[in-house]
Every structure is written in C-alpha cells, then in structure tokens.
Amino acid sequence: QVQLVESGGGLVQAGGSLRLSCAASGSFFSINNMGWYRQAPGKQRELVATITSSGNTYYADSVKGRFTISRDNAKNTVYLQMNSLKPEDTAVYSCNAATGPPWSRNYYWGQGTQVTVSS
C-alpha cells in the first residue's frame, strides 16, 4: 500500500507561482511513474504531467512551458512547479503513483489539493 499526501496548494493571482509536493509513504519496493492530475468544477479529471523513475517527463499541451514536474526518488516525493498561472488552472490537483511491474500495476491517489488562480 502507498499513501500519498499533497501539499502546497492555495490562492494566487494570475501570473503567480505555486509549488505542489506529493510525498509517498507505506510499504512498497519502488515507485514507477508519478504524476499530477487536475479536476476543475464541472469538468473531467485531466492529466497535467507525469514523470518516470528515470526522469522522463510528459506535459499536457495546456501547461507546457509553464509547469515543471520533478521528483526526488530518495524522498519518494514528486513536485509540480507552476509558473505563469492562469485562472483556467484553477482546479483540485491530485497526485498519482504507480507501483509494480508493467503487467501488474497498482495505482494510488492522493486526497487532492486546491489551487485557485484569481484574475
């Protein structure tokens, strides 16, 4: 089992920055991919960014050039640096982690952290 705890959300003005953190704990050998997703009111959850254990990253087009995902494998923590925030970035941001081999993945979710960007 893996427990994920996010932190760093809050209220910020448009153009500002926030840094989200997600720390994993529990009983596991290693964590494979980690990622951030977000869900705005009335919308479906969408992928924001992912990072593999070796550091390969993927970003949604809407955040490319503004957000940076990184991870500290020694601390089992993933970060999301969000710059040049826009009101449309307002959402609940959730952390995701995958463990196990590719043919038998287990996925875990954090409780989410609210990010609100005012215009």
Side-chain angles (χ1 to χ4, degrees), residues 24-63:
S25 62
S27 177
F28 54 88
F29 179 70
S30 64
I31 297 178
N32 304 115
N33 292 1
M34 301 187 79
W36 290 96
Y37 292 71
R38 67 186 182 186
Q39 186 168 20
K43 294 187 177 182
Q44 288 190 332
R45 183 168 59 193
E46 63 175 353
L47 172 65
V48 176
T50 62
I51 185 167
T52 67
S53 57
S54 58
N56 294 318
T57 59
Y58 169 85
Y59 296 94
D61 287 342
S62 58
V63 306

